[in-house]
Each structure stands twice: as C-alpha cells, then as structure tokens.
Amino acid sequence: MTTATHRLIEASGNPFALTHLDSLESEAVHIFREVAGEFEKPVILFSGGKDSIVMLHLALKAFAPAPVPFALLHVDTGHNFREAIDYRDRTVARHGLRLHVASVQEYIDAGKLRERPDGTRNPLQTVPLTEAIQQHRFDAVFGGGRRDEEKARAKERVFSLRDEFSQWDPRRQRPELWQLYNGRHAPGEHVRVFPLSNWTELDVWQYIAREGIELPELYFAHERDVFLRGGMWLTAGEWGGPKDGETVERRLVRYRTVGDMSCTGAVDSDATTLDAVISEIAVSRLTERGATRADDKLSEAAMEDRKREGYF
C-alpha cells in the first residue's frame, strides 16, 4: 500500500528515510531490548488478539535468530472465542514458546470469584492476572494497549509502574523524555510495558499487511449467529446469551477487537481481505473499544477504574 509517508520519501530521494511503520517498529524493538536488559523476569500478555499478535511478532524480530527470552501469559475468562484460543495454541507450538494460563473459571469454581449478574467476565480477570504476576514473580509485563484506544490508556506511559498490589496510580507516572525509560521499582512492585503505545488501530492493520502476519479468521467478515444488546451484536453461546426477548440473527460481521464473548461486539462488515479492512478502519470515527466493548461502557471511567485495580 502506498502511503503519504512513502510518497514523501520518494519525493525526497532519500533511500534511508524511514516510513512511519519503520519508525514504530524500531521504537517497539528498542523497548523490547531495553526490558530484556533491565528486568530479570518479563512476560508478554498474549490473548490471540491482533495487538498481542503484533506485539509477539515484534518480540520475535527484536531477538531473531535467538528465541524470545520471555514467556507468554494469558488470562482465560472461559468465555473466549474458540478461534482466538486455537490461534494462541498454534502460535505457542510453532515458536516453541512457554505459556502460562490464569483461568477465571478455576477461580469461580474455587469460590474465589463470583459471576457478575450481567455475565461479563472481563472485570473478573484482574485477580487471576495480579496473582499470576505475584506467583511467578514477573517484574515486567508487556501489554498491547495503545493510547488511541481509550482515554485512560491515553494517560499512560510506555513504562507504567504498579505497586505491590498491581494497582496503578496516575500521579506516580514518570517522564519519558528522549525515549529514556525508567524501570526502577521496589521489591514486590512491577512495571507494565506498552510497546504499541504510539500506534493507532490503522497502524496495526497496515503493519499486519506489510509483514504478512496471520490472524484469527474472526477478524474478517463471516456469517455468524448474533443478537443485539446495548447497541452491539453479541455472539450467541453458552456464556449466557441471548436472554428472553433477544432475537438471534444470521449476519455478515467481523470483530475489531477480541475479548470475552459476553462483552465483545461484532460490527456489520463485508471486509474479507486485509485491504478491505484497512479501507474500513481508515474512515471509521470510533475506536474499536468505543465501538465494540461493553465493559468500557459500564461507566464513564470504567477503564481507568479497572486499571487502578490492576487490570491491563
């Protein structure tokens, strides 16, 4: 795809000029290598969603031909999309990675968590996540958050300090002038690291196209049984939908983000190819979380509240 940046480079005649995707990739690779040098036991959060897939692709490039020196961690709500779980397991096997799974269902079965009345399990991920970090003594946790997704994420730095309870205090954020990252933390604390902070959803899709990265098929238009709730098309399934009065329809849809089935909505779309998805995203005026995530609509500060409690 020819971008405005490509055209400027061609016009300048400088063969060494970087495209915007080159610059973003270079920054992310630098961050991965900084963390490898500064921390003792980092881990990458990996859900099988497009942002974590791009993040893993960047980690592979950062250390090639050596293997990625970090394990993966997935918080499985028990209501994840089958396509995402299958993709996760194929990826782990293909690259010989170590995967830790923190299961929300196991916490519910053990009586440590209770199902919410609305059936949404995304808010229940916080306790399994924070306990997995403490149990394995991870001191740096990579997340695929981007600043364009949601206003609480727009406040956050690339290196985000979390206290001994994994909680986030926006007042403790450190300056990151000239891309100098401060990983200092006390015993028991850890740092969340966001290599994609400066990326947009469109950047992610353009990079996926440029690098030929495979994605779970639910990111492309397909026919699916869905029902309307809260202005979003939710997938019918054993997680609890639909309720009485909610009608299931067969529609042509795709997903812009992948999370718990109970709170992740599909969008009407006929985009079956990468080029079609990129064209669709380029004209969208809503972020994927704003358009398709019910858990971010629970209150005006829903994401910030969850981040303060230890969520991603």
Side-chain angles (χ1 to χ4, degrees):
M1 174 174 288
T2 301
T3 65
T5 307
H6 278 101
R7 288 192 289 273
L8 285 172
I9 290 171
E10 290 172 2
S12 71
N14 181 357
F16 302 106
L18 298 179
T19 67
H20 77 288
L21 293 181
D22 291 333
S23 298
L24 291 170
E25 180 190 68
S26 177
E27 179 189 57
V29 166
H30 168 66
I31 292 166
F32 274 109
R33 291 173 178 167
E34 279 286 300
V35 171
E38 283 193 48
F39 294 85
E40 294 183 0
K41 197 172 182 182
V43 70
I44 300 174
L45 294 175
F46 187 79
S47 64
K50 68 181 188 311
D51 296 325
S52 64
I53 290 170
V54 166
M55 197 166 55
L56 177 59
H57 180 85
L58 290 161
L60 289 165
K61 293 189 80 168
F63 302 104
V68 175
F70 317 126
L72 305 185
L73 172 61
H74 181 214
V75 183
D76 185 349
T77 66
H79 291 162
N80 293 109
F81 289 93
R82 175 188 53 77
E83 295 92 333
I85 296 297
D86 290 346
Y87 183 96
R88 179 200 70 183
D89 293 342
R90 288 200 308 274
T91 301
V92 168
R94 182 189 310 149
H95 298 293
L97 301 166
R98 288 169 293 147
L99 172 67
H100 301 280
V101 177
S103 169
V104 171
Q105 185 63 57
E106 289 182 5
Y107 275 71
I108 293 173
D109 293 343
K112 297 179 179 178
L113 290 174
R114 296 173 61 183
E115 291 275 19
R116 291 166 52 91
D118 59 7
T120 298
R121 286 191 173 181
N122 257 22
L124 303 183
Q125 295 179 91
T126 301
V127 173
L129 170 65
T130 56
E131 291 195 359
I133 292 171
Q134 294 164 359
Q135 175 190 349
H136 296 286
R137 299 182 181 276
F138 295 128
D139 55 358
V141 181
F142 290 99
R146 309 187 322 267
R147 291 193 178 114
D148 75 320
E149 286 183 86
E150 204 276 340
K151 55 192 176 185
R153 288 187 167 172
K155 295 180 181 178
E156 199 152 39
R157 303 287 194 267
V158 174
F159 275 29
S160 178
L161 182 65
R162 303 303 171 99
D163 66 15
E164 62 271 34
F165 303 106
S166 292
Q167 294 177 335
W168 176 57
D169 183 351
R171 295 168 298 182
R172 294 186 68 196
Q173 297 194 102
R174 298 157 173 169
E176 295 181 336
L177 303 176
W178 306 294
Q179 294 184 307
L180 295 174
Y181 304 113
N182 184 352
R184 187 175 181 182
H185 58 283
E189 295 180 335
H190 69 277
V191 174
R192 304 284 173 92
V193 183
F194 301 101
L196 306 184
S197 283
N198 294 323
W199 297 52
T200 65
E201 184 183 11
L202 184 58
D203 295 330
V204 168
W205 278 102
Q206 289 176 333
Y207 188 73
I208 288 168
R210 188 184 85 167
E211 299 289 303
I213 300 172
E214 177 195 352
L215 290 179
E217 53 270 33
L218 77 176
Y219 277 109
F220 301 96
H222 59 283
E223 288 193 344
R224 180 177 288 259
D225 289 334
V226 294
F227 63 95
L228 193 62
R229 180 183 294 174
M232 296 188 299
W233 292 111
L234 299 182
T235 293
E238 296 179 355
W239 60 267
K243 298 178 180 176
D244 292 342
E246 294 174 328
T247 304
V248 175
E249 299 179 34
R250 189 98 177 146
R251 299 182 72 91
L252 188 63
V253 298
R254 74 174 193 85
Y255 285 85
R256 290 179 63 181
T257 181
V258 171
D260 189 84
M261 293 172 67
S262 61
C263 62
T264 304
V267 294
D268 288 312
S269 172
D270 59 0
T272 57
T273 66
L274 281 170
D275 285 344
V277 171
I278 290 171
S279 298
E280 190 178 275
I281 295 299
V283 298
S284 174
R285 290 295 174 265
L286 278 177
T287 70
E288 69 264 47
R289 295 196 74 92
T292 65
R293 294 298 286 268
D295 49 334
D296 291 342
K297 299 179 179 179
L298 294 175
S299 73
E300 184 67 21
M303 172 65 83
E304 181 155 339
D305 290 343
R306 279 181 289 152
K307 289 182 74 65
R308 287 178 183 271
E309 295 166 358
Y311 183 71
F312 310 130

